[in-house]
Amino acid sequence: MKTAVVLLSGGLDSMVCAALAREAGYSVVALTIDYNQRHRVELEAAKAIAAQLADRHIVLPLDLRAFGGSALTSDIAVPKDGVGEGIPVTYVPARNTIFLSLALGLAEASGASDIFIGVNALDYSGYPDCRPAFVAEFERLANLATKAGVEGERISIHTPLLDMSKADIAREAKRLGLDAGLSHSCYDPSPEGRACGECDACRLRAKGFAEAGIADPTVYA
């Protein structure tokens, strides 16, 4: 059985991505980055999801609060006015570039040539590192910068959710038999871990379940 490294944040998208990797026949090594994000409840969600979908789960500490520059890693208010134009302050500088680089290192060390990431370019917050051009360029870099790539074991970056709407992703979760309630998407949860219902992530998630005609399992504050 081939092994794939799956970036598992604890959100619905990464949950579905991990399940699709398993459905495709891969043994899943889940990589969760503890970047000292304000929505730390997603780390617990990642552990619960990995217990069901991963053969191995690594939680890697990487304190991006030392960099700041985002509402998720510094004392900047999370916007609650709805999804707007431009790149929002919840964008974490170069996050997916950093995370994919770590996944690439783990993949090469594990003898894996496949990496899965749940980026989405339809219903999303406008982050530049969720776009097809970024993924294509990172894959090209991965095959230039690694021993595996240079020696002919091509690294592939899989983005099975890239062209899906949030409704499509909610439907996939149901088709795959996943308990979507295990996942967490909110950027600014309450101290009890309940979703705020107002941040971009909450709005997009709720929109997806509503458009799919599926009951939203999210517990809101």
Side-chain angles (χ1 to χ4, degrees):
M1 179 181 291
K2 293 182 69 176
T3 296
V5 172
V6 179
L7 280 164
L8 183 68
S9 68
L12 180 64
D13 292 0
S14 69
M15 183 188 202
V16 171
C17 193
L20 288 171
R22 284 194 72 87
E23 185 179 56
Y26 290 95
S27 171
V28 171
V29 176
L31 176 61
T32 300
I33 312 298
D34 175 359
Y35 60 99
N36 207 2
Q37 59 270 52
R38 70 191 301 157
H39 51 311
R40 298 186 61 75
V41 65
E42 77 169 1
L43 297 172
E44 297 306 313
K47 292 175 185 177
I49 294 166
Q52 294 192 359
L53 298 177
D55 300 291
R56 181 185 176 200
H57 185 209
I58 296 171
V59 180
L60 188 70
L62 179 71
D63 189 1
L64 291 183
R65 280 190 175 269
F67 291 0
S70 167
L72 304 188
T73 56
S74 59
D75 296 325
I76 301 171
V78 173
K80 302 289 180 71
D81 299 325
V83 181
E85 298 295 324
I87 299 171
V89 295
T90 50
Y91 165 72
V92 178
R95 181 174 60 182
N96 282 346
T97 306
I98 294 167
F99 287 7
L100 276 172
S101 297
L102 294 168
L104 176 60
L106 175 58
E108 191 170 30
S110 304
S113 56
D114 297 277
I115 298 169
F116 282 71
I117 181 171
V119 292
N120 175 263
L122 289 184
D123 288 336
Y124 75 122
S125 295
Y127 300 152
D129 54 0
C130 289
R131 297 171 182 167
F134 162 73
V135 175
E137 286 302 307
F138 190 92
E139 184 177 89
R140 188 173 72 86
L141 170 68
N143 285 289
L144 290 173
T146 57
K147 178 176 183 286
V150 169
E151 292 184 349
E153 188 63 36
R154 181 170 177 78
I155 304 290
S156 295
I157 310 296
H158 300 265
T159 56
L161 312 187
L162 191 66
D163 298 317
M164 289 188 187
S165 67
K166 287 295 183 185
D168 292 333
I169 294 167
R171 293 186 192 100
E172 274 296 270
K174 183 175 182 179
R175 181 187 70 79
L176 291 160
L178 301 176
D179 178 1
L182 290 178
S183 66
H184 177 88
S185 302
C186 178
Y187 289 149
D188 193 23
S190 71
E192 298 78 28
R194 295 185 175 186
C196 73
E198 298 177 336
C199 69
D200 287 4
C202 280
R203 290 173 186 267
L204 289 168
R205 179 182 171 113
K207 174 176 176 281
F209 281 110
E211 290 181 352
I214 297 170
D216 184 353
T218 308
V219 178
Y220 292 100

Coordinates of all heavy atoms in Angstrom, one line a residue, residues 92-147:
V92 N -2.7 33.9 7.1 CA -1.4 33.7 7.8 C -0.3 33.8 6.8 O -0.3 32.9 5.9 CB -1.4 32.4 8.6 CG1 -0.1 32.2 9.3 CG2 -2.5 32.3 9.6
P93 N 0.7 34.7 6.9 CA 1.7 34.9 5.9 C 2.4 33.5 5.5 O 3.0 32.9 6.3 CB 2.7 35.8 6.5 CG 1.8 36.7 7.4 CD 0.8 35.7 8.0
A94 N 2.2 33.2 4.2 CA 2.9 32.0 3.6 C 2.6 30.7 4.3 O 3.3 29.7 4.2 CB 4.4 32.2 3.6
R95 N 1.4 30.6 4.9 CA 1.1 29.4 5.7 C 1.1 28.1 4.9 O 1.8 27.2 5.3 CB -0.3 29.6 6.4 CG -0.7 28.3 7.2 CD -2.0 28.5 8.0 NE -3.1 28.8 7.1 CZ -4.3 29.0 7.5 NH1 -4.6 29.0 8.9 NH2 -5.3 29.2 6.7
N96 N 0.4 28.1 3.8 CA 0.4 26.8 3.0 C 1.8 26.5 2.4 O 2.1 25.4 2.2 CB -0.7 26.9 2.0 CG -2.0 26.6 2.5 OD1 -2.2 26.2 3.7 ND2 -3.1 26.9 1.8
T97 N 2.6 27.6 2.1 CA 3.9 27.3 1.6 C 4.8 26.7 2.7 O 5.5 25.7 2.5 CB 4.6 28.6 1.2 OG1 3.8 29.3 0.2 CG2 6.0 28.4 0.6
I98 N 4.6 27.2 4.0 CA 5.3 26.6 5.1 C 4.9 25.2 5.4 O 5.7 24.3 5.5 CB 5.2 27.5 6.3 CG1 5.8 28.9 6.1 CG2 5.7 26.8 7.6 CD1 5.4 29.9 7.1
F99 N 3.5 25.0 5.4 CA 3.0 23.7 5.8 C 3.3 22.7 4.7 O 3.6 21.5 5.0 CB 1.5 23.8 5.9 CG 1.0 24.5 7.2 CD1 1.9 25.1 8.0 CD2 -0.3 24.6 7.5 CE1 1.5 25.8 9.2 CE2 -0.7 25.2 8.7 CZ 0.2 25.8 9.5
L100 N 3.2 23.0 3.4 CA 3.6 22.1 2.4 C 5.1 21.7 2.4 O 5.4 20.6 2.1 CB 3.2 22.6 1.0 CG 1.7 22.4 0.6 CD1 1.4 23.2 -0.7 CD2 1.4 20.9 0.4
S101 N 5.9 22.7 2.8 CA 7.3 22.4 2.9 C 7.6 21.4 4.0 O 8.4 20.4 3.8 CB 8.1 23.7 3.2 OG 8.0 24.6 2.1
L102 N 6.9 21.5 5.1 CA 7.0 20.5 6.2 C 6.5 19.2 5.8 O 7.1 18.1 6.1 CB 6.3 21.0 7.4 CG 6.9 22.3 8.1 CD1 6.0 22.9 9.1 CD2 8.3 22.0 8.7
A103 N 5.3 19.2 5.1 CA 4.8 17.9 4.6 C 5.7 17.3 3.6 O 5.8 16.0 3.5 CB 3.4 18.2 3.9
L104 N 6.4 18.1 2.8 CA 7.3 17.6 1.8 C 8.5 16.9 2.5 O 8.9 15.8 2.1 CB 7.8 18.7 0.9 CG 8.9 18.4 -0.1 CD1 8.4 17.3 -1.1 CD2 9.4 19.6 -0.8
G105 N 9.0 17.5 3.6 CA 10.1 16.9 4.3 C 9.7 15.6 4.9 O 10.4 14.6 4.9
L106 N 8.4 15.5 5.5 CA 7.9 14.3 6.1 C 7.7 13.2 5.0 O 8.0 12.1 5.3 CB 6.6 14.6 6.8 CG 5.9 13.4 7.4 CD1 6.7 12.6 8.4 CD2 4.6 13.9 8.1
A107 N 7.2 13.6 3.9 CA 7.0 12.7 2.8 C 8.3 12.0 2.4 O 8.4 10.8 2.2 CB 6.3 13.3 1.6
E108 N 9.3 12.9 2.2 CA 10.6 12.3 1.7 C 11.2 11.4 2.8 O 11.7 10.3 2.5 CB 11.5 13.4 1.3 CG 12.8 12.9 0.6 CD 13.6 14.0 0.0 OE1 13.7 15.1 0.6 OE2 14.3 13.7 -1.0
A109 N 11.1 11.8 4.0 CA 11.6 11.0 5.1 C 10.9 9.7 5.3 O 11.4 8.7 5.7 CB 11.6 11.8 6.4
S110 N 9.6 9.7 4.9 CA 8.7 8.5 5.0 C 8.7 7.6 3.8 O 8.0 6.6 3.8 CB 7.3 8.9 5.4 OG 7.3 9.7 6.5
G111 N 9.4 8.1 2.7 CA 9.4 7.3 1.5 C 8.1 7.5 0.7 O 7.7 6.6 -0.1
A112 N 7.4 8.5 1.0 CA 6.1 8.8 0.3 C 6.3 9.8 -0.8 O 7.1 10.7 -0.7 CB 5.0 9.3 1.3
S113 N 5.6 9.6 -1.9 CA 5.7 10.5 -3.0 C 4.4 11.3 -3.3 O 4.2 12.0 -4.3 CB 6.1 9.8 -4.3 OG 5.2 8.7 -4.6
D114 N 3.4 11.2 -2.3 CA 2.1 11.8 -2.5 C 1.8 12.6 -1.3 O 1.9 12.2 -0.1 CB 1.0 10.8 -2.7 CG 1.3 10.0 -4.0 OD1 0.9 10.5 -5.1 OD2 1.8 8.9 -3.9
I115 N 1.3 13.9 -1.5 CA 0.9 14.8 -0.5 C -0.5 15.3 -0.8 O -0.7 15.7 -1.9 CB 1.9 16.0 -0.3 CG1 3.3 15.5 0.0 CG2 1.4 17.0 0.7 CD1 4.4 16.6 -0.1
F116 N -1.4 15.3 0.2 CA -2.7 15.7 0.0 C -2.9 17.0 0.9 O -2.5 17.0 2.0 CB -3.7 14.7 0.5 CG -4.0 13.6 -0.5 CD1 -3.0 12.6 -0.7 CD2 -5.2 13.5 -1.2 CE1 -3.2 11.6 -1.6 CE2 -5.4 12.4 -2.1 CZ -4.4 11.5 -2.3
I117 N -3.5 18.0 0.3 CA -3.9 19.2 1.0 C -5.3 19.7 0.6 O -5.6 19.6 -0.6 CB -2.8 20.3 0.8 CG1 -3.2 21.6 1.6 CG2 -2.7 20.6 -0.7 CD1 -2.1 22.7 1.5
G118 N -6.1 20.1 1.5 CA -7.5 20.4 1.3 C -7.8 21.8 0.9 O -8.8 22.4 1.3
V119 N -6.9 22.4 0.0 CA -7.2 23.8 -0.5 C -8.4 23.8 -1.4 O -8.7 22.8 -2.1 CB -5.9 24.4 -1.1 CG1 -4.8 24.6 -0.1 CG2 -5.5 23.5 -2.3
N120 N -9.0 25.0 -1.5 CA -10.2 25.1 -2.2 C -10.2 26.5 -2.9 O -9.9 27.5 -2.2 CB -11.4 24.9 -1.3 CG -12.7 25.2 -2.0 OD1 -13.3 26.3 -1.9 ND2 -13.3 24.2 -2.7
A121 N -10.5 26.6 -4.2 CA -10.4 27.8 -4.9 C -11.8 28.4 -5.3 O -11.8 29.4 -6.0 CB -9.6 27.6 -6.1
L122 N -12.9 27.8 -4.8 CA -14.2 28.3 -5.2 C -14.8 29.1 -4.0 O -14.8 30.3 -4.0 CB -15.2 27.2 -5.6 CG -14.9 26.5 -6.9 CD1 -15.9 25.5 -7.2 CD2 -14.8 27.6 -8.0
D123 N -15.3 28.4 -3.0 CA -15.9 29.1 -1.8 C -14.8 29.2 -0.7 O -14.6 28.3 0.1 CB -17.0 28.3 -1.2 CG -18.3 28.4 -2.1 OD1 -18.4 29.3 -2.8 OD2 -19.1 27.5 -2.0
Y124 N -14.0 30.3 -0.8 CA -12.9 30.4 0.1 C -12.7 31.9 0.4 O -13.4 32.8 -0.1 CB -11.6 29.8 -0.5 CG -10.9 30.6 -1.6 CD1 -9.6 31.0 -1.4 CD2 -11.6 30.9 -2.7 CE1 -9.0 31.7 -2.5 CE2 -11.0 31.6 -3.8 CZ -9.7 32.0 -3.6 OH -9.1 32.7 -4.6
S125 N -11.8 32.2 1.3 CA -11.6 33.6 1.8 C -10.7 34.5 0.9 O -10.4 35.6 1.3 CB -11.1 33.6 3.2 OG -12.1 33.0 4.0
G126 N -10.2 34.0 -0.2 CA -9.4 34.8 -1.1 C -7.9 34.6 -0.8 O -7.1 35.4 -1.3
Y127 N -7.5 33.6 -0.1 CA -6.1 33.4 0.2 C -5.3 33.0 -1.1 O -5.7 32.1 -1.8 CB -5.9 32.3 1.2 CG -6.6 32.5 2.6 CD1 -7.0 31.4 3.4 CD2 -6.8 33.8 3.1 CE1 -7.6 31.6 4.6 CE2 -7.4 34.0 4.3 CZ -7.8 32.9 5.0 OH -8.4 33.1 6.3
P128 N -4.2 33.7 -1.3 CA -3.4 33.4 -2.5 C -2.8 32.0 -2.5 O -2.6 31.4 -3.6 CB -2.3 34.4 -2.5 CG -2.2 34.9 -1.1 CD -3.6 34.7 -0.5
D129 N -2.6 31.4 -1.4 CA -2.0 30.0 -1.3 C -3.0 28.9 -1.3 O -2.7 27.8 -0.9 CB -1.1 29.9 -0.1 CG -1.7 30.2 1.2 OD1 -2.9 30.6 1.2 OD2 -1.1 30.2 2.3
C130 N -4.2 29.2 -1.9 CA -5.2 28.2 -2.1 C -5.5 28.1 -3.6 O -6.5 27.4 -4.0 CB -6.5 28.5 -1.3 SG -6.4 28.4 0.4
R131 N -4.8 28.7 -4.4 CA -5.1 28.8 -5.8 C -4.3 27.7 -6.7 O -3.2 27.3 -6.3 CB -4.7 30.2 -6.4 CG -5.6 31.3 -5.7 CD -5.1 32.7 -6.0 NE -5.9 33.7 -5.3 CZ -5.6 35.0 -5.2 NH1 -4.5 35.4 -5.7 NH2 -6.4 35.8 -4.6
P132 N -4.9 27.3 -7.8 CA -4.2 26.3 -8.6 C -2.8 26.6 -9.0 O -1.9 25.7 -9.0 CB -5.1 26.2 -9.8 CG -6.5 26.7 -9.4 CD -6.2 27.7 -8.3
A133 N -2.5 27.9 -9.4 CA -1.2 28.2 -9.8 C -0.2 28.0 -8.7 O 1.0 27.6 -9.0 CB -1.2 29.7 -10.2
F134 N -0.5 28.3 -7.5 CA 0.4 28.1 -6.3 C 0.7 26.6 -6.2 O 1.9 26.2 -6.0 CB -0.2 28.6 -5.0 CG 0.4 28.1 -3.8 CD1 1.7 28.5 -3.4 CD2 -0.2 27.1 -3.0 CE1 2.3 27.9 -2.3 CE2 0.4 26.6 -1.9 CZ 1.7 27.0 -1.5
V135 N -0.3 25.8 -6.2 CA -0.1 24.3 -6.1 C 0.8 23.8 -7.2 O 1.7 23.0 -6.9 CB -1.5 23.6 -6.1 CG1 -1.3 22.1 -6.0 CG2 -2.3 24.1 -4.9
A136 N 0.5 24.2 -8.4 CA 1.3 23.7 -9.5 C 2.8 24.1 -9.4 O 3.7 23.3 -9.6 CB 0.8 24.3 -10.8
E137 N 3.0 25.4 -8.9 CA 4.4 25.8 -8.7 C 5.1 25.2 -7.6 O 6.3 24.9 -7.6 CB 4.4 27.4 -8.6 CG 4.2 28.1 -9.8 CD 5.1 27.8 -10.9 OE1 6.4 27.9 -10.7 OE2 4.7 27.5 -12.0
F138 N 4.3 24.9 -6.5 CA 5.0 24.2 -5.4 C 5.3 22.8 -5.8 O 6.4 22.3 -5.4 CB 4.0 24.2 -4.1 CG 4.8 23.7 -2.9 CD1 5.4 24.5 -2.1 CD2 4.9 22.3 -2.7 CE1 6.1 24.1 -1.0 CE2 5.6 21.8 -1.6 CZ 6.2 22.7 -0.7
E139 N 4.5 22.1 -6.5 CA 4.8 20.7 -7.0 C 6.1 20.8 -7.8 O 7.0 19.9 -7.7 CB 3.7 20.2 -7.8 CG 3.9 18.7 -8.2 CD 2.7 18.1 -8.9 OE1 2.6 18.3 -10.1 OE2 1.8 17.5 -8.2
R140 N 6.2 21.8 -8.7 CA 7.4 21.9 -9.5 C 8.6 22.1 -8.6 O 9.7 21.4 -8.8 CB 7.3 23.1 -10.5 CG 8.4 23.2 -11.5 CD 8.1 24.2 -12.5 NE 8.2 25.6 -12.0 CZ 9.3 26.2 -11.9 NH1 10.5 25.7 -12.4 NH2 9.4 27.5 -11.4
L141 N 8.5 22.9 -7.6 CA 9.6 23.2 -6.7 C 10.0 21.9 -5.9 O 11.2 21.6 -5.8 CB 9.2 24.2 -5.7 CG 10.1 24.4 -4.5 CD1 11.4 25.0 -4.9 CD2 9.4 25.3 -3.4
A142 N 8.9 21.1 -5.5 CA 9.2 19.9 -4.7 C 10.0 18.9 -5.5 O 10.9 18.2 -4.9 CB 7.8 19.3 -4.4
N143 N 9.8 18.9 -6.8 CA 10.6 17.9 -7.6 C 12.0 18.5 -8.0 O 12.8 17.7 -8.5 CB 9.7 17.6 -8.9 CG 8.6 16.6 -8.5 OD1 8.9 15.5 -8.2 ND2 7.4 17.1 -8.5
L144 N 12.2 19.7 -7.8 CA 13.5 20.3 -8.0 C 14.4 20.3 -6.8 O 15.6 20.2 -6.8 CB 13.4 21.8 -8.5 CG 12.9 22.0 -9.9 CD1 12.7 23.5 -10.1 CD2 13.9 21.4 -11.0
A145 N 13.7 20.3 -5.6 CA 14.4 20.6 -4.4 C 14.7 19.3 -3.5 O 15.2 19.5 -2.4 CB 13.6 21.6 -3.6
T146 N 14.2 18.2 -3.9 CA 14.4 17.0 -3.1 C 15.2 15.9 -3.8 O 15.2 15.8 -5.0 CB 13.0 16.4 -2.8 OG1 12.3 16.1 -4.0 CG2 12.1 17.3 -2.0
K147 N 15.8 15.1 -3.0 CA 16.6 13.9 -3.5 C 15.7 13.0 -4.2 O 16.0 12.5 -5.3 CB 17.2 13.2 -2.3 CG 18.0 11.9 -2.7 CD 18.7 11.4 -1.4 CE 19.5 10.1 -1.7 NZ 18.7 8.9 -2.0

